[in-house]
Amino acid sequence: MPPPSLPGWTYTESMKRVALLGATGSIGLQAIEIVDAHPELELCAVASGSSPLDGIDAPLKQIGGDLTELLERAEPDVVLNAVVGFAGIHATLWALDNGVTLALANKESLVAAGELARGRGTIVPVDSEHSALFQCLEGRSSEHVHTLVLTGSGGPFRGRTRDELLSVTPEDALAHPTWQMGPKITIDSATLANKGLELIEAHFLFDIPYERIEVVIQPTSIVHSLVRFRDGAALAHLGYPDMRVPISYALTYPERAPTPLRPLDLTSLTLEFSPPDTETFPMLSLARAAGEKGGSAPCVYNAANEVAVAAFLAGRLSFLGIPGVVGETLAAAESDPVRDLDDLVEADRAARALADGALAAA
Ligand code: NAD
Ligand code: MG
């Protein structure tokens, strides 16, 4: 029976077993809402890092520990990886290795894995910009594409000068203008590291060279990204900023299931676009450079950023210290080819040690 709140929904698929990793987070809780609204979706496993999973109805539950063991037992049709940070890497590679559809929110794992993940398995992106691009591309190969345009809100400090960022606090940075998200990605949005990670994520998801991926600021987050095609057409994806839309798309793909969102009211919108201020927010240029360098450099960028953001949130590093620590780590790290998961884990460990050293000196 279709849920009464979603009229007109008919099932064309049989039950889909969803393993939800990071079930207690911002994405995780919204995913549970989507699963609850669709009887053809069922949770076969849920996991968190340390928070209790009480009140979540699933046959397998795990707090901490090895996520791949849980996935082996759960036999999912789709893994929604909504873990935060490099900790999600094993689950991402497990899904790709086992031919299980990966609904990917955990962008850090794709950024770090890079070439190792490229062209393997089915990834349906959950990140709103990449979901938008995926929908505009409709599976077309990169030769049809002129440029990808990733949009970003610019975060809470858009328009500020470097001097005005000298004394911002974690509390200031956690006040995102358009999205309600977990703390790590919210800080990443304030530094533009999130857009940097997304640039690398887009490169690996869609096989487009970095020079053909542009970033544009659109402060109200209504335009979620767009594709310029080689024939002169540009397709954009619009909607209110609400992660339930890309989560629903990824979980019910290739269907388009109803969500309880109000339709977009175009007459109430003004859309403004501007280039990002890469002088004041160097994390975007650092990501581009790391992406272009390739090998383990994106993994190093991600690891150093995770260390720096944790230190900022703990009051041990200034806001402007974040790009400082990441820049120093990238300059000091070896850039090695990445052949397997062991190489990645080692690159991540070594980068964290370098970032800790840069932190101690900051
Ligand atoms: P969050 O901090 O709200 O939640 C993180 C979740 O991961 C929690 O359930 C936590 O318990 C779990 N977790 C942490 N370490 C773990 C481990 N070792 N093993 C298992 N679970 C672990 O974060 P979030 O905002 O929901 O973001 C999750 C991911 O989605 C991030 O990669 C983020 O960049 C991405 N993302 C989030 C949003 C958003 O709107 N929140 C949008 C786009 C992409
Ligand atoms: Mg995003």
Side-chain angles (χ1 to χ4, degrees):
M1 283 286 290
S5 57
L6 302 171
W9 176 234
T10 49
Y11 309 124
T12 53
E13 294 215 15
S14 51
M15 286 304 268
K16 221 186 237 185
R17 295 167 57 80
V18 180
L20 175 57
L21 312 177
T24 56
S26 157
I27 294 288
L29 293 171
Q30 294 178 84
I32 291 171
E33 206 184 304
I34 298 294
V35 171
D36 284 348
H38 295 297
E40 83 285 11
L41 299 174
E42 69 177 352
L43 291 176
C44 60
V46 292
S48 72
S50 54
S51 24
L53 294 160
D54 306 343
I56 305 178
D57 190 17
L60 294 172
K61 297 185 184 187
Q62 182 173 302
I63 301 174
D66 183 345
L67 292 171
T68 63
E69 269 177 24
L70 178 72
L71 292 172
E72 289 288 344
R73 280 187 287 139
E75 298 184 359
D77 297 310
V78 50
V79 175
L80 172 44
N81 189 351
V83 171
V84 60
F86 185 78
I89 189 82
H90 303 89
T92 283
L93 293 178
W94 182 93
L96 296 177
D97 281 342
N98 287 277
V100 174
T101 300
L102 175 62
L104 184 68
N106 176 239
K107 65 190 90 186
E108 296 93 338
S109 61
L110 184 62
V111 166
E115 298 294 340
L116 268 192
R118 203 214 287 261
R120 285 168 56 190
T122 304
I123 304 181
V124 187
V126 169
D127 215 350
S128 58
E129 297 78 1
H130 304 74
S131 175
L133 294 170
F134 183 91
Q135 293 175 54
C136 292
L137 282 165
E138 291 185 305
R140 282 191 183 79
S141 62
S142 56
E143 77 216 41
H144 295 90
V145 175
H146 178 274
T147 18
L148 301 181
V149 185
L150 279 172
T151 52
S153 70
F157 304 140
R158 180 178 56 86
R160 294 214 195 170
T161 62
R162 237 184 117 72
D163 279 354
E164 288 168 338
L165 295 177
L166 280 171
S167 56
V168 296
T169 63
E171 199 182 22
D172 301 328
L174 285 169
H176 195 277
T178 54
W179 296 100
Q180 292 292 320
M181 311 178 284
K184 192 261 177 182
I185 183 176
T186 306
I187 302 305
D188 286 349
S189 300
T191 62
L192 293 200
N194 184 48
K195 225 33 72 181
L197 293 167
E198 291 182 353
L199 171 73
I200 302 172
E201 182 186 10
H203 168 77
F204 287 117
L205 277 174
F206 305 118
D207 200 21
I208 305 280
Y210 288 101
E211 66 268 20
R212 289 203 276 135
I213 312 177
E214 210 176 294
V215 173
V216 165
I217 301 302
Q218 196 276 300
T220 53
S221 302
I222 295 290
V223 179
H224 296 141
S225 277
L226 55 98
V227 181
R228 295 193 193 100
F229 287 96
R230 64 181 175 186
D231 61 359
L235 296 193
H237 181 291
L238 277 69
Y240 293 117
D242 190 315
M243 288 306 294
R244 289 174 299 178
V245 178
I247 294 169
S248 172
Y249 183 84
L251 290 182
T252 62
Y253 176 81
E255 301 292 318
R256 237 179 226 286
T259 67
L261 265 75
R262 68 195 157 114
L264 188 66
D265 175 9
L266 287 166
T267 58
S268 69
L269 300 178
T270 345
L271 300 178
E272 288 175 352
F273 299 88
S274 58
D277 177 355
T278 50
E279 297 280 312
T280 310
F281 301 96
M283 288 301 286
L284 184 53
S285 311
L286 287 169
R288 197 175 274 282
E292 277 167 355
K293 193 167 181 190
S296 57
C299 177
V300 171
Y301 173 89
N302 176 67
N305 182 54
E306 286 190 34
V307 170
V309 169
F312 171 67
L313 283 171
R316 289 187 288 116
L317 183 67
S318 69
F319 184 76
L320 293 177
I322 298 174
V325 165
V326 173
E328 271 184 50
T329 305
L330 279 165
E334 304 287 336
S335 177
D336 300 318
V338 175
R339 289 156 308 191
D340 53 24
L341 178 57
D342 288 347
D343 285 353
L344 270 186
V345 170
E346 173 51 25
D348 175 78
R349 188 207 57 75
R352 282 169 199 268
L354 286 171
D356 281 336
L359 253 185

Coordinates of all heavy atoms in Angstrom, one line a residue, residues 107 126-130 151 179 181 185 194-195 198 201 243, ligand 2:
K107 N 31.7 12.0 0.6 CA 32.5 12.5 -0.5 C 34.0 12.3 -0.2 O 34.8 12.0 -1.1 CB 32.2 13.9 -0.8 CG 32.6 14.9 0.3 CD 32.0 16.3 0.0 CE 30.6 16.5 0.6 NZ 30.0 17.7 0.2
V126 N 24.8 11.4 -3.7 CA 23.8 12.0 -2.8 C 24.2 13.5 -2.5 O 23.3 14.3 -2.3 CB 23.8 11.3 -1.4 CG1 23.0 12.0 -0.4 CG2 23.2 9.9 -1.6
D127 N 25.4 13.9 -2.7 CA 25.8 15.3 -2.6 C 24.9 16.0 -3.6 O 24.8 15.6 -4.7 CB 27.3 15.4 -3.0 CG 28.0 16.5 -2.2 OD1 27.3 17.2 -1.5 OD2 29.2 16.5 -2.3
S128 N 24.3 17.1 -3.1 CA 23.3 17.7 -3.9 C 23.8 18.2 -5.3 O 23.1 18.0 -6.3 CB 22.6 18.9 -3.2 OG 23.6 19.9 -2.9
E129 N 25.0 18.8 -5.3 CA 25.5 19.3 -6.6 C 25.8 18.1 -7.6 O 25.5 18.2 -8.8 CB 26.9 20.0 -6.4 CG 26.8 21.2 -5.5 CD 26.7 20.9 -4.0 OE1 26.7 19.7 -3.6 OE2 26.5 21.9 -3.3
H130 N 26.2 17.0 -7.1 CA 26.6 15.9 -7.9 C 25.3 15.1 -8.3 O 25.3 14.5 -9.4 CB 27.6 15.0 -7.2 CG 28.8 15.8 -6.8 ND1 28.8 16.7 -5.8 CD2 30.0 15.9 -7.4 CE1 29.9 17.3 -5.7 NE2 30.7 16.9 -6.7
T151 N 27.8 24.7 -8.2 CA 27.4 25.9 -7.5 C 27.6 25.8 -6.0 O 27.7 24.6 -5.5 CB 25.9 26.2 -7.7 OG1 25.2 25.0 -7.4 CG2 25.6 26.7 -9.1
W179 N 21.9 25.5 4.4 CA 21.8 24.1 4.7 C 22.0 23.8 6.2 O 22.9 24.4 6.8 CB 22.9 23.3 3.9 CG 22.9 23.4 2.4 CD1 23.6 24.2 1.6 CD2 22.0 22.6 1.5 NE1 23.3 23.9 0.3 CE2 22.4 23.0 0.2 CE3 21.1 21.6 1.7 CZ2 21.8 22.4 -0.9 CZ3 20.5 21.0 0.6 CH2 20.8 21.4 -0.7
M181 N 23.5 21.0 8.4 CA 24.3 19.8 8.2 C 25.1 19.5 9.4 O 25.2 20.2 10.4 CB 25.2 20.0 7.0 CG 24.6 20.6 5.8 SD 25.7 21.0 4.4 CE 26.5 22.5 5.0
I185 N 31.1 19.1 7.8 CA 30.8 19.7 6.4 C 30.4 21.2 6.6 O 30.6 22.0 5.6 CB 29.7 18.9 5.7 CG1 29.5 19.4 4.3 CG2 28.5 18.7 6.4 CD1 28.5 18.6 3.4
N194 N 34.7 22.4 1.3 CA 33.6 21.5 0.8 C 33.5 21.6 -0.7 O 33.4 20.6 -1.4 CB 32.2 21.9 1.4 CG 31.1 21.0 1.0 OD1 31.3 19.8 1.1 ND2 30.0 21.5 0.6
K195 N 33.6 22.9 -1.3 CA 33.6 23.0 -2.7 C 34.8 22.4 -3.3 O 34.8 21.8 -4.4 CB 33.4 24.5 -3.1 CG 32.4 24.9 -4.1 CD 31.2 24.0 -4.2 CE 30.2 24.2 -3.1 NZ 29.0 23.4 -3.2
E198 N 34.3 18.8 -3.4 CA 33.3 18.5 -4.4 C 33.9 18.6 -5.9 O 33.4 17.9 -6.8 CB 32.1 19.4 -4.3 CG 31.3 19.1 -3.0 CD 30.1 20.0 -2.8 OE1 29.9 20.9 -3.5 OE2 29.3 19.6 -1.9
E201 N 35.5 15.4 -6.2 CA 34.5 14.4 -6.3 C 33.9 14.3 -7.8 O 33.7 13.3 -8.4 CB 33.4 14.7 -5.3 CG 32.2 13.7 -5.3 CD 31.1 14.1 -4.3 OE1 31.1 15.3 -3.8 OE2 30.2 13.3 -4.1
M243 N 18.1 18.2 1.5 CA 18.8 17.0 1.2 C 17.9 15.8 1.0 O 18.3 14.8 0.4 CB 19.9 16.7 2.2 CG 21.1 17.6 2.2 SD 21.9 17.7 0.6 CE 22.5 16.1 0.3
Ligands
MG2 MG 27.3 19.5 -1.7

